[in-house]
Amino acid sequence: MAGFLKRLFGRAPKDRAPSDPEILPSFPQPERDTASWHTPGSKNAESDTSQQENLNYSLPDGSLPDQPYFKQMEHLRSGVTEKDYQKAAAAARASLPWIRKWLKDPRGSEDRLVLSIPALSQGGTMMAFVGDKDGLMELRKLVQEFGYLEPFKGEAEDHFIDMDLFNRLREAITAKPGLLQNRLKTELDFSDGRKISRLVAYLDKAGEIRRAKSGNTYALFMQGGDMPDAAAATIYSEPTMPGSHRHEKRSAKAREIGLGNVKFVPLPPSPPGWDHSLDLPQSVEDFEDPQGAWAQISVEKIKQESRPDPAFRKHYTTARGSISFDDLAKSQASLGKAGAVAFSDTAGRMGTPSAFVRDVAWISTHPDGEGFASRSKSGVLTVYDGDLDVDFETDLGLAPEVIANAARLDHEVTTAGLRCIALTPDRSQYMFTHIDEAWCISRDGKMVWGVRVPENEPRTVDLGSVRVGTSPQISDALKTMSLEMPVSHEMIRKRYRELARKSHPDINRGGEEFMKELNGSYELLTGIDPSKLEGNNAVSDAGVEFTFTMTYAGYPDRISEIAFSGSGDAALLATSSGRVIRVDGQGIPEVVYEIGAYPHRIIETESYLYEPRRVCRRLNCLSYAAISDRSIAA
């Protein structure tokens, strides 16, 4: 990773000016390639790695911070990932002078429409955790100095509250070992239980405290303090690592997938998610029959002991029924374990839950198979059979391909790039990914094939998830507007106004066709129908807020999801650039589906491929593309 950053950002100058802010030394790199940008107020302890990889680099026009800032964001992310909050806090504080230097640069003022700066959000929480009051004072001063940072003012003050709460939590748990977490609001006389839970999670992740399951809450103990045996028995600890079942000691070279002669199938973008609530009719009775369609009816409530356990929150259909997972270890069956799993037959009868042998960071089932596979945070692949017993295990971190690919990209932690896993229906082969490579391995540990997806190129623009375009569409739209990547919202808006004034049919007779093309390009890049904008010239978009997500060339195109085909003799690889690549049993590409969006899950049965892409916020609805050999439907 260090080498990759040097190639992308360049090296820090040896003889930097004395006025330049301090640059922290290099640290081991985190799982993701670049710093993630969160919206103000985001407080997640660790970001979900299934999110779109965003890459920003320093531009000569001052529209982005200098290169050292992004290096500090790497240190911040790696510190959080490694639960080294001292390192994360130091990186956040060291980035503040670079933010100030950037905001003072007048050249980037027009591009600072919506700011999202992790150093001020998660970085402030890290400084609060370690008690860096001077760092928080510096952060508060910076936020008050620039009007651009108005959204962060409330959060800057919250960091001081967090620092005080961290200290009070430590004191309370030390004074009362076994203090129940749901009693903390009363104990601390603090009404925000959600904030307390978030800070307790940080203390737990950092190893300062231990949380023992106690009914519907946790008993809290300081690390190293006395704990009753009954409480200790409720805390999961990972068993011994299983070693590797691989035969190859040296890694074979992954074959880069060539897409020059492969058929491309563009798919229409999925519709935008519902971001508003629906007015559903309210029923007074449990069941109503206003049309008199039922001749005889009986409504009975399910008995408490017969109701499904909501802890089993993930459900996957398989050949013989469905498998339900308690991946958060909230069920009684997961007490002292990492979680639990239960099988239900086609009639809906759920069997006795079984506990996981290891924690679960990734789950994979096959719709035409039995059993499932899981990957632990430490990189162990565990395959379970149809009876939910362990079939076999292997340590993916010891796979020669993982070691080689980590060295190629300068990852110091080899398991950091592990992501997806998949099983064939008969569990005779499994597949796993490491950053931009996918490897198919037989059950007895022999390599079947290995491929690497091509490097990322300027492919997609996603503006607030409103409209997504594939590479040719974006290229044509930018060409119509005489723009080049990277572009900002302000640049698109200004260019549209300029061209619309010159080409509008009321001004330029014969400009109708160009105006149609210009409006189509503007709609594609912004998600706004120009005909609905204010004014006859359709050039006003005041009050509309955009969030840009752009991909740039020269860095790995991560594989975001994988699946075996319905028969298991082919595989599908989805990448963060918006492609789904189908390869045959030898890893040779057959077809590429252009979906124009970040893929999250692929399911293929014998006839159809389903690629879910967006979950509606209010209802658990799913939009997807369905593909068969003869038809394409959205």
Side-chain angles (χ1 to χ4, degrees):
M1 177 61 72
F4 159 69
L5 287 171
K6 291 173 184 175
R7 292 193 297 273
L8 183 66
F9 296 132
R11 297 177 181 271
K14 294 181 180 179
D15 301 321
R16 57 187 176 91
S19 59
D20 280 352
E22 179 186 1
I23 302 176
L24 288 182
S26 296
F27 291 105
Q29 299 303 319
E31 176 176 353
R32 300 181 69 176
D33 292 333
T34 61
S36 177
W37 294 76
H38 304 287
T39 55
S42 175
K43 293 282 190 176
N44 293 331
E46 294 183 77
S47 298
D48 187 348
T49 58
S50 67
Q51 295 298 316
Q52 169 74 37
E53 306 295 335
N54 296 331
L55 187 62
N56 295 307
Y57 56 88
S58 182
L59 297 178
D61 63 0
S63 61
L64 287 174
D66 289 337
Q67 297 168 2
Y69 169 79
F70 293 104
K71 293 182 183 292
Q72 299 305 331
M73 292 303 93
E74 284 294 324
H75 303 333
L76 171 61
R77 174 169 290 281
S78 65
V80 173
T81 301
E82 298 160 6
K83 302 177 180 60
D84 184 349
Y85 297 157
Q86 289 282 353
K87 184 176 87 172
R93 184 172 181 179
S95 72
L96 298 181
W98 293 104
I99 298 174
R100 174 177 280 104
K101 180 180 178 182
W102 169 53
L103 291 175
K104 284 184 175 180
D105 190 336
R107 295 173 298 173
S109 60
E110 293 182 349
D111 294 322
R112 297 174 191 140
L113 302 177
V114 179
L115 293 178
S116 179
I117 306 177
L120 305 182
S121 297
Q122 192 174 48
T125 301
M126 295 293 95
M127 286 188 273
F129 182 90
V130 302
D132 186 359
K133 185 177 181 179
D134 290 341
L136 292 181
M137 294 287 288
E138 185 179 349
L139 188 154
R140 172 197 277 168
K141 182 179 179 181
L142 173 67
V143 169
Q144 293 175 345
E145 184 177 346
F146 296 94
Y148 295 111
L149 303 182
E150 178 70 27
F152 294 94
K153 285 187 177 180
E155 194 170 10
E157 299 304 319
D158 284 345
H159 293 321
F160 287 94
I161 299 175
D162 289 350
M163 182 172 63
D164 177 63
L165 279 175
F166 273 127
N167 291 331
R168 293 174 62 193
L169 283 168
R170 293 178 178 112
E171 292 171 359
I173 299 170
T174 300
K176 296 182 178 180
L179 178 64
L180 296 180
Q181 185 168 327
N182 62 3
R183 295 290 302 165
L184 286 174
K185 288 174 60 176
T186 302
E187 186 73 23
L188 302 179
D189 191 22
F190 191 81
S191 61
D192 191 344
R194 182 170 297 182
K195 178 186 282 287
I196 291 176
S197 295
R198 181 176 59 84
L199 301 188
V200 167
Y202 274 114
L203 292 170
D204 183 27
K205 291 175 184 295
E208 286 197 28
I209 66 172
R210 301 182 71 190
R211 293 196 290 181
K213 190 70 175 175
S214 179
N216 294 325
T217 186
Y218 293 94
L220 308 178
F221 300 86
M222 295 301 296
Q223 185 67 258
D226 293 335
M227 176 185 290
D229 292 341
T234 68
I235 301 177
Y236 164 76
S237 58
E238 186 174 17
T240 305
M241 300 292 280
S244 176
H245 76 149
R246 295 295 305 282
H247 293 274
E248 296 86 5
K249 301 302 180 184
R250 299 181 60 184
S251 173
K253 186 176 181 180
R255 181 179 65 254
E256 183 163 311
I257 296 177
L259 302 178
N261 298 318
V262 180
K263 179 182 178 182
F264 276 70
V265 178
L267 299 181
S270 58
W274 297 340
D275 56 2
H276 60 277
S277 59
L278 298 179
D279 294 328
L280 299 176
Q282 300 295 320
S283 297
V284 177
E285 300 295 333
D286 293 328
F287 187 95
E288 292 181 356
D289 182 23
Q291 304 298 324
W294 296 79
Q296 184 176 353
I297 186 169
S298 174
V299 178
E300 296 180 8
K301 291 187 177 181
I302 301 175
K303 295 180 179 180
Q304 185 69 37
E305 60 271 16
S306 301
R307 296 178 185 178
D309 188 344
F312 291 85
R313 65 189 192 115
K314 293 185 177 181
H315 310 277
Y316 299 84
T317 301
T318 63
R320 295 191 300 116
S322 63
I323 303 179
S324 303
F325 296 93
D326 166 25
D327 59 321
L328 299 181
K330 291 184 176 294
S331 64
Q332 189 64 30
S334 66
L335 192 64
K337 304 295 182 180
V341 57
F343 176 79
S344 300
D345 60 22
T346 54
R349 293 183 292 265
M350 179 179 283
T352 303
S354 301
F356 292 137
V357 297
R358 296 182 188 276
D359 67 88
V360 173
W362 195 279
I363 296 172
S364 175
T365 64
H366 196 289
D368 291 331
E370 297 180 3
F372 69 97
S374 68
R375 175 181 61 77
S376 69
K377 296 175 184 177
S378 60
V380 174
L381 172 76
T382 305
V383 177
Y384 296 80
D385 60 22
D387 296 325
L388 307 183
D389 295 325
V390 175
D391 193 356
F392 67 93
E393 286 192 309
T394 184
D395 187 346
L396 297 177
L398 299 178
E401 302 81 20
V402 171
I403 297 172
N405 202 37
R408 176 177 71 91
L409 295 173
D410 295 320
H411 272 250
E412 295 187 22
V413 182
T414 57
T415 56
L418 289 171
R419 183 172 172 81
C420 315
I421 56 174
L423 277 177
T424 55
D426 59 1
R427 304 192 306 280
S428 63
Q429 296 178 358
Y430 67 88
M431 183 169 38
F432 71 92
T433 69
H434 187 270
I435 308 173
D436 57 346
E437 292 185 353
W439 295 86
C440 180
I441 309 296
S442 68
R443 188 185 186 284
D444 60 1
K446 296 180 181 179
M447 188 192 72
V448 181
W449 52 260
V451 297
R452 180 184 303 157
V453 298
E455 276 192 343
N456 221 343
E457 58 181 275
R459 300 195 56 76
T460 64
V461 175
D462 180 351
L463 300 101
S465 299
V466 174
R467 179 62 63 90
V468 179
T470 57
S471 179
Q473 294 172 312
I474 292 299
S475 298
D476 291 343
L478 292 173
K479 185 177 180 180
T480 298
M481 301 187 74
S482 301
L483 294 170
E484 294 181 355
M485 285 276 209
V487 294
S488 68
H489 165 236
E490 188 69 14
M491 294 165 62
I492 296 173
R493 182 171 64 176
K494 285 183 176 180
R495 184 57 53 86
Y496 177 78
R497 287 174 172 174
E498 176 186 338
L499 295 176
R501 290 191 181 101
K502 293 180 180 179
S503 307
H504 197 278
D506 293 345
I507 301 173
N508 184 5
R509 184 174 298 178
E512 292 87 352
E513 291 302 318
F514 181 77
M515 274 303 302
K516 290 180 181 179
E517 188 176 353
L518 178 63
N519 286 339
S521 298
Y522 184 80
E523 182 179 2
L524 178 65
L525 294 174
T526 65
I528 297 176
D529 181 356
S531 65
K532 298 179 182 179
L533 298 180
E534 301 173 6
N536 294 330
N537 291 337
V539 295
S540 174
D541 54 3
V544 178
E545 184 174 295
F546 301 89
T547 301
F548 276 74
T549 299
M550 299 187 184
T551 59
Y552 297 92
Y555 72 99
D557 185 6
R558 279 184 179 270
I559 300 175
S560 60
E561 180 58 277
I562 58 176
F564 280 104
S565 65
S567 60
D569 58 357
L572 298 120
L573 316 173
T575 72
S576 58
S577 63
R579 296 166 169 164
V580 176
I581 306 171
R582 184 185 177 94
V583 299
D584 64 16
Q586 285 72 48
I588 306 300
E590 296 178 325
V591 64
V592 177
Y593 300 105
E594 287 274 13
I595 61 176
Y598 185 90
H600 292 285
R601 188 178 175 201
I602 310 171
I603 308 169
E604 188 187 72
T605 59
E606 191 62 35
S607 301
Y608 289 90
L609 163 72
Y610 296 92
E611 192 283 304
R613 282 176 283 176
R614 184 173 289 113
V615 178
C616 302
R617 296 182 186 176
R618 299 291 182 180
L619 303 178
N620 292 326
C621 300
L622 202 62
S623 62
Y624 59 84
I627 311 161
S628 72
D629 294 336
R630 297 182 180 179
S631 64
I632 298 176

